[in-house]
Amino acid sequence: MHPGIAPAPSLSRGRLAVLGLGYVGRPLALGAAAAGYDVWGFDPSPTAREIAEKAHVGGHGGFQACADPVQLAGADTWLICVPTPLDARGRPDLTAVRAALGMVVRGLKPGALVCLVSTCQPGATNGLCRSVLEAAGWRIGQDVFLAVSPERENPGPHAPPTRSIPRLLGATDPASLRRALAFWRHMVDRVEVVASPEVAECAKLLENTYRLVNIALMDELHAAFTALGVPTRDVVAAAATKPFGFAPFWPGLGAGGHCIPVDPAFLQMEAARSGAPSALLAKALARNRGRVARVLAQIRARLGHDLAGKRVLVAGVTYKPDVADLRAAAPLRLLRHLHHARAELAWHDPMITKPPPALAVLPCSAVLTMPDGARPDAIILGTPHRAFDLTAITRAAPLVFDPFAILPVGPSVVVV
């Protein structure tokens, strides 16, 4: 057992270790450096470290990126910001969180705060995190302090500053809460304390479950409105004039990214384990997974069920507009289906400057033509980036498939 320490006055500044320098950890690390912390950011990816270091150039405070967890030893505060994807069977994969906790216990010192930022299932803080720390001999709330503040990042050029986004904070005990509050109040303008770690964990999952269910609802109603001959976006825009009780959601190709297709599965797993699985959530998850296949079926119906040799260009391949992020991107799934159907494929995306491995096998076009300059038989709008000239897209092929119902109406446009 490590010697206990009395809960001393919380540190106002100190040495901070950030585990994971992706879209969650990087802005927190840079924000902490600007707030006066001595920040060490760990990430095994050279690319992630390079991006973080470049982003810090000219910034305030001390920040260093490293690939050796030994350099994190002695940190006053540890933020766990590693990925929590789904495994091949669709179950939450906490491998990276467990690895991060292993680094923490090897470098932990008395009085340090450990804060889980990665999205996990309800009970992860009081379960997995607590058990790892206690197995190493630490007494929570006495020797070290434990809290959770789930990430609320919104990647993209139009995202609000990290400091302006309210943070949820749940802690395992009053001493840990005081310690965590002292840290987060230096980091953000507003901290919302909740009753327990489980409330914070469930709230994070609810935020994205709410979005998934409404995306699935819009997908179903988009099909209904289209069948009725009513423009879906006009319907949503009209409903959005109501100043209360309505939040607009728009048709698309299916939710991608790390959060919306993933987080609800964490909640569903724990709900099922507790004997209360959600039928509505299960349908929303299935509806989102099936959106690409339904769009493909409509494309086949217009191009002929045999797509072999058909020249098809997908315009926009990232998971959302104006970002270069391909995680769980619906256009990638569509490209894979089209490739399997032996279509002659190409993709065009102004956000992707260097094709990643996922796209390396498919030709890239710098403009809205096939790589050889030929006109495509069809264009599919995969992601509606602001950089696109939507009118030009409608003129670039005899058929243009629009899952977003966003293109100007014209003889070539097929809303799917």
Side-chain angles (χ1 to χ4, degrees):
M1 179 71 68
H2 294 278
I5 62 167
S10 297
L11 298 172
S12 59
R13 299 291 189 274
R15 181 177 168 87
L16 172 66
V18 178
L19 302 179
L21 291 174
Y23 78 101
V24 173
R26 181 172 63 252
L28 289 177
L30 300 180
Y37 287 88
D38 175 22
V39 181
W40 284 80
F42 169 85
D43 202 294
S45 166
T47 301
R49 297 194 303 273
E50 180 183 358
I51 292 173
E53 288 168 344
K54 286 182 177 178
H56 181 255
V57 171
H60 299 288
F63 170 78
Q64 296 187 64
C66 69
D68 184 358
V70 172
Q71 294 180 275
L72 309 177
D76 301 295
T77 301
W78 299 73
L79 301 184
I80 298 175
C81 307
V82 295
T84 51
L86 300 180
D87 64 19
R89 297 175 60 184
R91 302 171 303 181
D93 183 356
L94 300 185
T95 301
V97 174
R98 292 188 177 90
L101 287 166
M103 297 179 201
V104 170
V105 296
R106 289 192 292 272
L108 204 55
K109 71 174 185 179
L113 166 69
V114 180
C115 189
L116 179 64
V117 179
S118 301
T119 300
C120 293
Q121 77 275 18
T125 307
N126 262 320
L128 174 62
C129 296
R130 177 187 284 276
S131 64
V132 170
L133 295 177
E134 289 182 340
W138 298 101
R139 293 175 296 180
I140 307 299
Q142 299 181 57
D143 304 331
V144 294
F145 306 100
L146 179 60
V148 59
S149 183
E151 60 95 356
R152 274 181 163 174
E153 295 298 326
N154 183 23
H158 312 291
T162 298
R163 186 172 189 88
S164 71
I165 303 173
R167 300 290 309 196
L168 297 179
L169 178 62
T172 54
D173 56 89
S176 292
L177 179 59
R178 290 193 295 272
R179 178 69 173 79
L181 265 174
F183 170 74
W184 284 109
R185 281 175 172 163
H186 287 298
M187 292 287 293
V188 296
D189 297 330
R190 180 178 162 195
V191 180
E192 294 287 347
V193 175
V194 298
S196 69
E198 289 75 19
V199 170
E201 292 159 346
C202 284
K204 165 61 183 177
L205 300 180
L206 175 59
E207 292 167 13
N208 285 323
T209 299
Y210 165 84
R211 295 173 70 188
L212 176 76
V213 170
N214 278 281
I215 288 168
L217 173 65
M218 182 50 56
D219 181 38
E220 287 201 348
L221 293 183
H222 174 50
F225 294 144
T226 301
L228 291 168
V230 180
T232 300
R233 294 187 79 88
D234 288 356
V235 174
V236 177
T241 62
K242 184 181 180 183
F244 53 89
F246 182 84
F249 285 79
W250 308 93
L253 189 55
H258 177 261
C259 292
I260 298 175
V262 175
D263 294 357
F266 282 74
L267 182 58
Q268 182 76 319
M269 179 186 73
E270 289 304 307
R273 186 175 293 169
S274 301
S278 167
L280 177 61
L281 178 51
K283 183 174 181 180
L285 285 162
R287 186 82 193 180
N288 190 60
R289 286 193 298 268
R291 171 63 169 149
V292 166
R294 291 191 297 276
V295 168
L296 181 64
Q298 295 188 63
I299 293 170
R300 283 181 178 275
R302 293 300 294 263
L303 284 177
H305 288 282
D306 184 4
L307 296 180
K310 295 291 196 315
R311 295 171 299 179
V312 179
L313 175 75
V314 176
V317 296
T318 63
Y319 88 85
K320 73 174 187 176
D322 307 323
V323 301
D325 197 329
L326 296 170
R327 288 172 303 167
L332 291 188
R333 298 199 303 275
L334 180 60
L335 281 166
R336 285 195 289 268
H337 283 299
L338 291 166
H339 181 67
H340 182 72
R342 296 182 293 121
E344 184 182 330
L345 284 176
W347 60 275
H348 167 67
D349 195 308
M351 301 303 301
I352 305 293
T353 55
K354 183 180 180 181
L359 292 168
V361 297
L362 296 176
C364 172
S365 180
V367 291
L368 294 170
T369 66
M370 303 305 286
D372 61 3
R375 195 177 193 220
D377 297 315
I379 290 177
I380 305 167
L381 182 61
T383 313
H385 296 302
R386 295 189 188 195
F388 282 146
D389 180 337
L390 298 182
T391 301
I393 291 177
T394 67
R395 298 170 179 164
L399 282 175
V400 180
F401 295 96
D402 179 13
F404 302 86
I406 200 172
L407 294 175
V409 175
S412 67
V413 177
V414 181
V415 176
V416 291

